[in-house]
Amino acid sequence: MIIERPMEHSIMPMFLQAHAAEEDLQSPADIDMYMRVSALHCQSLTIVDSDLNNANIFHQAAKVEGGVFWTALRTGFIRRAARLDAAGSPVTQAAVVEGFRRVSPERVAKIEEGYLRLVDSVCQRNEHASPPLTWSLTEVNKHFLRKLETYVEHAVANRSLPTDHAIFDQVWEAVRNHRRAGTPLSAADIEARFRPRDYETSEEWNFIWRLVLDAQSGNVPLVYDGQLAITTTPRSADKFLPAGPTSAGVEREVEAELYRGGTKQKDRPKVTVGAAGGDRLAGRFVINRERLAALRLEEIEELREEALGANYFQARFDATGSSTDMSESAVPYSTTLFEYHERLARVGILRTQRREEAAVKETLSRVVVTAEKYGRTLELIMQTSTRLPVAEHNIVMCDSQTIRDLLGPTEARKILPDDNALWMYRRPDCRVLEWIPSP
């Protein structure tokens, strides 16, 4: 079967980044099952080249006997997001490692030579037929500097700086200067220029470096202008990864206002938890993991295609363009979602308890943000039931950390439980980074 893998039906899982916490993927078997389940959520996983090299979970997945990692890479289910060199050509995996070796030789030493050689070989062979997604360091660095500048401004406005902040002031000045000049300044550059000798015990450096790492996370998907979706989990650090790339007018103004910092936070739109949308009768579904484990990846993908997974992926993509899109497409989205689950149940990928119990009434609820000064009520997140295992919480207008800040921990837990099995899907909106008001 030839499978079309458009970018709109792909996902970049931020949880699989090299720096991501891996506590919920503790064994190679967990990682292998994660990829099998992922094949029900999308038509491809897009992985940044450095993450494909460095992430320990891939090193483990590559060693699973009967696992799907190498098949996923060979068939294109795992798709590489490759950086471009100065000539505009994709950099090979081997060349990425050589560049990284100068910055972090101790981490490069953890990459087995056989693993790297085979990954590089498979990627190059695949990309002769189908080019990878590509990105430039210049574009990624632009988003990094804008996010870091925003973090720094908010820290100053909130008066949360460490007692000694001479180095902080130097970093802030460097970030401003490089942003104005349009010249790159990477996390590695900041570390090389400003890290003090006593960095391990320096309260100031630890504060600065935490901001730098937070600003570094998630910038690659921003370069695709909302055409490549990401998934995070409730534990992911996703601050300033806003969503909703087709928003306009009042909606885009509210998006920016949600990120207000400092003393002006009181001016942000009020956010309340409310349900909207219709009910539908459906069975209680669970993933049949035994069957999934017994299938080859190609078989899982064939069953997904036969279940018309592409219809659901397109409905999800369309619904998460903006708050308006989410509201207007709620009914077709929910219908497509339930139909996809029912088809997966018919082919044995999902189990249903419909025969054993009465049908369960499901609600697709949506949290609303009340933008009082604009006289508009805008939807923020579409929440799906835990009875629908191949579904996501779909976010527009901001990110999960901002939702928690706006709602407070008690209210936020009602819709964003601390559960890394929960996938939060969004289409990043890099425009918001330029709209955020000064604190």
Side-chain angles (χ1 to χ4, degrees):
M1 173 182 285
I2 297 175
I3 297 175
E4 297 293 329
R5 302 186 191 274
M7 190 191 306
E8 294 86 349
H9 298 176
S10 186
I11 285 174
M12 180 175 282
M14 307 309 291
F15 180 57
L16 293 186
Q17 286 192 304
H19 297 291
E22 300 171 2
E23 63 268 24
D24 286 320
L25 296 177
Q26 296 179 355
S27 72
D30 293 336
I31 299 163
D32 187 69
M33 180 54 68
Y34 180 92
M35 285 192 285
R36 292 171 186 270
V37 172
S38 296
L40 304 177
H41 283 266
C42 60
Q43 287 179 310
S44 64
L45 291 177
T46 298
I47 308 297
V48 178
D49 49 16
S50 54
D51 295 333
L52 191 55
N53 280 343
N54 304 331
N56 181 54
I57 57 177
F58 290 131
H59 300 169
Q60 293 188 58
K63 298 175 181 178
V64 176
E65 185 176 353
V68 301
F69 174 76
W70 292 112
T71 300
L73 195 64
R74 189 185 70 252
T75 61
F77 178 69
I78 289 180
R79 187 178 188 183
R80 190 170 76 112
R83 68 196 69 198
L84 297 172
D85 62 18
S89 299
V91 176
T92 66
Q93 291 298 110
V96 170
V97 165
E98 289 310 307
F100 192 52
R101 193 186 303 278
R102 295 190 292 271
V103 178
S104 185
E106 67 281 358
R107 290 185 63 196
V108 169
K110 297 178 181 178
I111 305 173
E112 294 183 7
E113 184 178 338
Y115 170 87
L116 174 62
R117 185 170 56 251
L118 189 51
V119 166
D120 197 29
S121 172
V122 173
C123 288
Q124 290 194 54
R125 185 169 62 248
N126 284 354
E127 290 162 13
H128 279 301
S130 178
L133 297 182
T134 56
W135 52 276
S136 74
L137 287 169
T138 300
E139 281 294 302
V140 168
N141 192 253
K142 180 184 74 174
H143 296 307
F144 164 70
L145 287 178
R146 177 57 184 133
K147 283 167 64 177
L148 182 55
E149 184 179 50
T150 304
Y151 275 124
V152 168
E153 290 177 346
H154 283 209
V156 172
N158 293 333
R159 300 178 181 178
S160 59
L161 301 183
T163 305
D164 298 320
H165 49 82
I167 300 176
F168 176 92
D169 293 341
Q170 294 174 40
V171 171
W172 189 10
E173 182 180 11
V175 170
R176 287 199 302 262
N177 290 341
H178 281 267
R179 278 240 324 141
R180 276 197 295 266
T183 54
L185 180 72
S186 67
D189 294 331
I190 292 172
E191 186 175 24
R193 286 175 55 181
F194 300 107
R195 190 178 77 175
R197 291 182 178 178
D198 64 343
Y199 70 93
E200 292 181 336
T201 58
S202 169
E203 176 193 2
E204 182 185 9
W205 178 253
N206 288 333
F207 179 84
I208 294 167
W209 195 239
R210 187 172 64 250
L211 296 183
V212 169
L213 290 181
D214 285 347
Q216 189 179 31
S217 175
N219 295 314
V220 172
L222 289 173
V223 308
Y224 299 109
D225 296 325
Q227 297 305 296
L228 176 63
I230 64 172
T231 53
T232 58
T233 73
R235 297 179 198 167
S236 301
D238 67 347
K239 187 75 169 178
F240 293 116
L241 278 175
T246 64
S247 62
V250 169
E251 192 174 325
R252 63 174 275 181
E253 292 184 51
V254 173
E255 266 188 281
E257 293 285 346
L258 289 172
Y259 283 98
R260 272 195 181 275
T263 57
K264 296 180 181 178
Q265 288 191 43
K266 64 180 185 302
D267 297 328
R268 293 190 298 189
K270 180 183 177 183
V271 176
T272 56
V273 177
D279 295 333
R280 177 186 171 95
L281 295 180
R284 185 191 298 267
F285 296 106
V286 294
I287 292 176
N288 187 342
R289 292 177 181 267
E290 293 81 4
R291 175 157 167 73
L292 212 58
L295 294 171
R296 294 179 295 111
L297 180 63
E298 296 97 329
E299 293 170 326
I300 297 171
E301 291 210 85
E302 286 179 9
L303 292 173
R304 179 199 66 218
E305 295 298 295
E306 291 170 6
L308 303 182
N311 290 1
Y312 166 57
F313 305 149
Q314 189 63 48
R316 177 183 62 189
F317 183 86
D318 293 341
T320 49
S322 69
S323 177
T324 300
D325 292 340
M326 183 176 285
S327 177
E328 292 179 351
S329 62
V331 173
Y333 170 87
S334 60
T335 300
T336 305
L337 173 62
F338 283 116
E339 288 174 348
Y340 180 44
H341 278 75
E342 288 168 350
R343 292 190 191 101
L344 288 177
R346 284 200 292 270
V347 296
I349 292 294
L350 300 181
R351 291 179 178 145
T352 177
Q353 298 176 348
R354 181 175 294 178
R355 294 188 182 91
E356 287 77 26
E357 61 179 53
V360 179
K361 180 173 279 192
E362 293 283 359
T363 303
L364 207 64
S365 62
R366 305 195 297 281
V367 180
V368 298
V369 49
T370 305
E372 293 178 341
K373 63 182 177 181
Y374 296 108
R376 286 278 303 276
T377 296
L378 300 168
E379 296 178 9
L380 190 68
I381 179 172
M382 184 182 290
Q383 179 186 5
T384 55
S385 166
T386 54
R387 298 190 183 108
L388 300 176
V390 187
E392 301 78 24
H393 277 42
N394 300 297
I395 299 176
V396 293
M397 300 188 68
C398 63
D399 56 74
S400 64
Q401 284 183 257
T402 299
I403 290 172
R404 286 192 191 85
D405 292 344
L406 293 165
L407 289 178
T410 302
E411 286 296 298
R413 270 194 293 272
K414 294 178 181 177
I415 58 167
L416 297 174
D418 186 17
D419 177 6
N420 257 5
L422 177 67
W423 290 32
M424 296 183 294
Y425 175 101
R426 84 196 74 163
R427 293 170 56 191
D429 186 2
C430 65
R431 304 171 304 166
V432 179
L433 297 176
E434 300 301 327
W435 304 336
I436 297 172
S438 297

